Amino acid sequence: MSKLVSIRGAVTASDNKQSITNAAVRLADRLYFKNGITDNDVVSVYFTVTPDLTAYSAARAVRESGHNVPFMSGVEPVVDGGLKGCIRMMITAYSDNPARHVYLNGARALRGDIAGNYAIALDGPSGAGKSTVAKLVADALKITYLDTGALYRALGLKCLNEKVDTTNAQAVENCLKDAKVDIEYVNGAQRVMLDGDDVSGKIRTPEVSMAASVTSAMPYVRAKLLGIQREIATNSSVILDGRDIGTVVLPNAEFKFFLTASAEVRAKRRFDELTAKGQSVVYDDVYNDVVQRDKNDSTRAVAPLKQAFDAELVDSDDMTAEQVAAFIVARVSGDVQ
Ligand code: DC
């Protein structure tokens, strides 16, 4: 039975038309999406903006983005210590669920009490530096990090251990049917458990990389790992890195980034990483692996590597992991418009 609910949200913007439009439309999209509502459910929408946002009307921007409901807008009185450049929305709507409020960018600080958990989706090709960046971001924001590639690697390892032909989807499914993959956090670090054993150290070999790349294209494998990824994301604020986080696993993540770099730069990083771990590898092999995995990951039929339409592209060719992490932290904290 639908009930009338008041759904609240806020976002910060700079005082120019583009920024106000982007922020207001994004906030409206999130509010509708998170609450599973359409214009048909909405009774009215009320906007307020702080007096420093004069370049454009947030309500008008949302109306121009295609919404056709009764809008009302007003300017807020200045509040001591209040956020600057803030757009607030209150939607009155019929919904089957309790209201899910949305606070984006710096507005999160405003209502940490009702903002709830948030998710950062960090997708991109192998070797783009996702896991290094994700760890730095998680540390800085004190949120949980989930390296989803490790889950696929654990299943790839199981196939290798059992000498299964990884190109045979039925054989892979039979092998993995009873496999139990789990994540544990020990002193803040992620450990991957396969059938009760900690395999975190064993999943970082080129053989496991290739097995995971092949088996992760199989619908059975993806379906098996979807639940655990979503469960971790609903229990706390998280950053997940992977290939399809923003498109499939968490399509309503509050923040989405697509991190990339050229194949040469990525191969060099992977080469340095493996060499530092004492593995003897040849650069050309690592480069060919990167190219091959890119091809596997982006051409597969199920959940291919793809930038979500609402993800922000970050090219890290000329950026250190620290710089990428600082950019994401600033974006999430609302310091970058
Ligand atoms: O990020 P990684 O190299 O640890 O990932 C290992 C493999 O798993 C990679 O080839 C792509 C796949 N993968 C995936 O398909 N979806 C994810 N969310 C994460 C990884």
Side-chain angles (χ1 to χ4, degrees):
M1 244 292 279
S2 282
K3 282 201 328 214
L4 207 51
V5 293
S6 276
I7 304 162
R8 286 196 274 177
V11 64
T12 50
S14 304
D15 191 25
N16 63 71
K17 181 179 174 184
Q18 193 64 48
S19 177
I20 291 172
T21 301
N22 288 350
V25 171
R26 184 154 169 266
L27 178 63
D29 283 352
R30 295 284 161 203
L31 283 166
Y32 273 68
F33 189 87
K34 275 216 148 178
N35 288 278
I37 55 173
T38 67
D39 277 355
N40 289 335
D41 306 307
V42 172
V43 177
S44 62
V45 179
Y46 185 47
F47 285 89
T48 61
V49 294
T50 45
D52 49 353
L53 291 183
T54 57
Y56 206 62
S57 154
R60 182 170 175 186
V62 173
R63 181 154 43 79
E64 286 169 350
S65 78
H67 290 286
N68 184 14
V69 293
F71 286 121
M72 174 84 174
S73 46
V75 177
E76 293 197 2
V78 178
V79 179
D80 246 7
L83 268 186
K84 301 233 177 326
C86 190
I87 300 167
R88 291 188 175 80
M89 267 179 90
M90 186 158 87
I91 303 178
T92 309
Y94 286 98
S95 171
D96 294 331
N97 306 306
R100 299 187 71 189
H101 310 292
V102 174
Y103 287 83
L104 299 172
N105 293 354
R108 167 163 297 280
L110 189 76
R111 288 307 298 262
D113 53 339
I114 59 171
N117 293 332
Y118 63 97
I120 306 173
L122 180 62
D123 289 305
S126 60
K130 298 186 300 292
S131 60
T132 312
V133 166
K135 274 183 217 148
L136 291 169
V137 171
D139 280 350
L141 296 173
K142 303 201 175 8
I143 60 176
T144 302
Y145 163 51
L146 175 61
D147 164 9
T148 64
L151 301 170
Y152 290 92
R153 285 170 180 269
L155 294 185
L157 175 68
K158 169 127 187 165
C159 293
L160 290 182
N161 286 346
E162 311 237 325
K163 308 212 173 359
V164 164
D165 172 5
T166 52
T167 60
N168 179 336
Q170 191 55 56
V172 168
E173 180 172 339
N174 293 344
C175 167
L176 298 180
K177 214 166 31 225
D178 299 320
K180 285 224 159 349
V181 192
D182 227 333
I183 295 291
E184 287 183 6
Y185 291 92
V186 180
N187 300 327
Q190 171 182 307
R191 312 301 302 178
V192 189
M193 312 299 291
L194 174 66
D195 298 329
D197 293 333
D198 184 345
V199 293
S200 313
K202 293 190 189 141
I203 57 172
R204 301 288 163 195
T205 65
E207 292 75 26
V208 174
S209 294
M210 207 41 89
S213 178
V214 176
T215 54
S216 65
M218 296 170 180
Y220 175 81
V221 173
R222 303 210 73 82
K224 186 170 173 89
L225 295 178
L226 196 57
I228 178 172
Q229 296 176 76
R230 287 190 176 154
E231 189 185 311
I232 290 173
T234 47
N235 290 338
S236 51
S237 289
V238 287
I239 177 163
L240 267 65
D241 81 333
R243 303 296 190 288
D244 62 338
I245 309 303
T247 49
V248 177
V249 180
L250 304 175
N252 62 344
E254 280 74 8
F255 304 95
K256 297 184 184 180
F257 301 92
F258 193 83
L259 182 61
T260 187
S262 65
E264 289 76 13
V265 168
R266 290 185 285 124
K268 171 81 170 61
R269 288 180 189 157
R270 194 66 109 189
F271 175 80
D272 290 345
E273 190 186 323
L274 294 172
T275 312
K277 279 190 195 146
Q279 294 184 26
S280 100
V281 281
V282 178
Y283 172 81
D284 283 354
D285 292 345
V286 178
Y287 175 79
N288 290 334
D289 267 16
V290 164
V291 172
Q292 183 59 46
R293 287 213 287 147
D294 278 0
K295 193 156 167 259
N296 290 351
D297 295 348
S298 44
T299 57
R300 66 189 181 203
V302 184
L305 169 66
K306 198 170 87 195
Q307 184 180 346
F309 77 94
D310 53 350
E312 190 163 359
L313 182 70
V314 183
D315 183 339
S316 76
D317 260 8
D318 298 318
M319 288 170 92
T320 63
E322 285 73 18
Q323 287 170 327
V324 176
F327 173 80
I328 292 176
V329 168
R331 178 66 92 212
V332 173
S333 317
D335 299 343
V336 180
Q337 289 303 331

